[in-house]
Amino acid sequence: MIPAIYSTLGSNSSLVPLAVKDIANSIGLTTGSYITGNKLEGKDRFIDEFGTQALWLFGIPAYKKLIDLTLYKLFKIDPKFDVRNLSQKNILDKSVSYADVSIKESMKKAVKNPKFTKNLTLAKFGISTLLTIVSYMGLTKFKHNQTRKSAEKEILSEIKQETAKKEKLKTPKAFEGVHNITFTGGFSDFIFNPVKNLMILDGAITAERLSNSRNKQEFIGYTIKEGTFWAFMYFASAPIQKFLEKSAEKKHNKSIDLDSRVIESPELEKAFKNGELEKSVNKVLTADNNEKLLEYMHFHPDDFTVKMAKKSDIIPTLKKASQADNTDYRKFTDLDSFKATAEKLKKLYNEYKSSGQTVEEFLNAVKKLKRKSVLKNIGSCIGVLGVIAPAIMVLLRKADKNNQGFQVKEDLRKELIASAAK
């Protein structure tokens, strides 16, 4: 359980660390709105942040699932087949022949008409992204309408109270005191990587928020929010983690760039002791092309490196397979990452041999360093998104005496007063 948690939090392709950071960001910004504005501004921010968060995290996956159950079912194409497999023509036929009987026929059907399968994948990506953006625009319109209704109700009540008070004091002016497509390279990442899926959606959200800001106050707030969001939600985590990994290697001569599930695995300690690791990685590293790597994966399902790659989700697996090789060949296997796993394991093993420590001492130290790096990484991002960015927004509001209230409400107040004066 613990290895899975650290692995998920440290993953650059998982939505979980993004959700954790976004929740912290949303709580911080909503709290800041309550502090600088009032209940109305806090409610407006709450709907904006948490409503957007729900669409942001679940919109694209939900619409993709809907398309799987409709279009893919209609055309009888397996939605789990990854079209990046079609670009690996030199190993595609072998992948189909190696596949478990439960998925072999669906793979043959997908491969039979590659152009149609690719187009269907592209349509799925485009439709699900577009529908999520449209849903977000609907949420924005709903939020603006709800805020306007609530603000109008508050303002009319306030004006009524002010008028009654002035009449009681015999003040003549009722409103006195009221102020004013190939599927390779970078492009494929945006289709198949759920995190980069969200970057497209976030691009639309950021553009919509900035272009449709209701006033200068909201524009400045969104500029700070979106700037820090993009920096620490998408771009900062990888370099921070790389820095922490290099620091651990430099200071402690211990590599921590393997997946947490591998580092925390009891099998790793066992493989260190019985020599299985060294034998395994040497065999994998002798495979000098993808075809040989694929063959090795298929014919050596019990190999240590193969098992660790499966544990890290580098090699996708079937839950129920009728053969020893439980690889899910419908999905894409990055064979370069598989080979890189062997290289990382070999490097870690060599560090152990030169450490002068026992296996237990060495691996316990590696585990602690890995856990600390993951927590420091996500903690620093949460700190910026959930505390520093909201604090900056609050301080900017507090520093400007003409920017204290909820500007949307103030603008509506002027509109209602102007309307009443006609």
Side-chain angles (χ1 to χ4, degrees), residues 6-7 10-11 240-264 268 343-345 347-349 351 362-377:
Y6 281 100
S7 174
S11 173
I240 289 173
Q241 188 63 32
K242 186 63 66 177
F243 169 79
L244 294 170
E245 289 171 357
K246 286 184 176 179
S247 178
E249 187 175 346
K250 185 177 180 180
K251 291 181 180 179
H252 306 282
N253 193 34
K254 290 176 174 62
S255 299
I256 57 170
D257 52 352
L258 282 161
D259 191 288
S260 290
R261 287 168 292 186
V262 175
I263 291 174
E264 302 267 357
L268 182 63
E343 291 169 348
K344 291 175 183 178
L345 285 167
K347 184 178 180 181
L348 187 66
Y349 185 70
E351 289 169 349
F362 179 81
L363 290 180
N364 283 338
V366 172
K367 290 175 189 177
K368 289 178 182 178
L369 288 169
K370 181 67 174 183
R371 291 182 181 185
K372 284 181 181 179
S373 73
V374 171
L375 294 177
K376 284 179 180 178
N377 189 344

Side-chain angles (χ1 to χ4, degrees), residues 110-239:
V111 170
K112 187 177 180 180
N113 192 343
K115 186 175 180 181
F116 180 80
T117 304
K118 287 180 180 180
N119 288 338
L120 194 59
T121 297
L122 195 60
K124 176 180 175 178
F125 165 70
I127 293 170
S128 60
T129 303
L130 181 62
L131 288 176
T132 305
I133 291 171
V134 170
S135 298
Y136 169 71
M137 290 179 175
L139 173 68
T140 301
K141 187 175 181 180
F142 168 78
K143 182 200 73 167
H144 287 179
N145 288 338
Q146 286 295 109
T147 300
R148 183 181 177 86
K149 287 179 183 178
S150 298
E152 187 173 331
K153 187 176 178 181
E154 279 190 17
I155 292 167
L156 291 174
S157 176
E158 289 167 4
I159 291 175
K160 186 177 179 181
Q161 290 174 15
E162 289 171 9
T163 303
K165 185 178 180 181
K166 290 178 186 297
E167 286 178 354
K168 188 175 181 180
L169 295 172
K170 297 182 179 180
T171 304
K173 294 182 180 179
F175 298 118
E176 187 178 16
V178 178
H179 306 285
N180 52 44
I181 268 170
T182 57
F183 295 93
T184 56
F187 178 66
S188 69
D189 284 345
F190 286 95
I191 297 178
F192 300 105
N193 186 319
V195 173
K196 291 195 176 182
N197 257 198
L198 290 185
M199 289 179 75
I200 296 176
L201 178 58
D202 263 323
I205 290 174
T206 299
E208 194 279 337
R209 280 175 164 170
L210 293 177
S211 62
N212 291 313
S213 295
R214 291 168 286 187
N215 46 63
K216 183 180 178 182
Q217 182 188 82
E218 192 166 72
F219 180 82
I220 292 172
Y222 275 139
T223 300
I224 297 170
K225 183 251 190 305
E226 294 299 315
T228 53
F229 182 92
W230 275 89
F232 288 88
M233 189 65 73
Y234 293 120
F235 302 119
S237 288

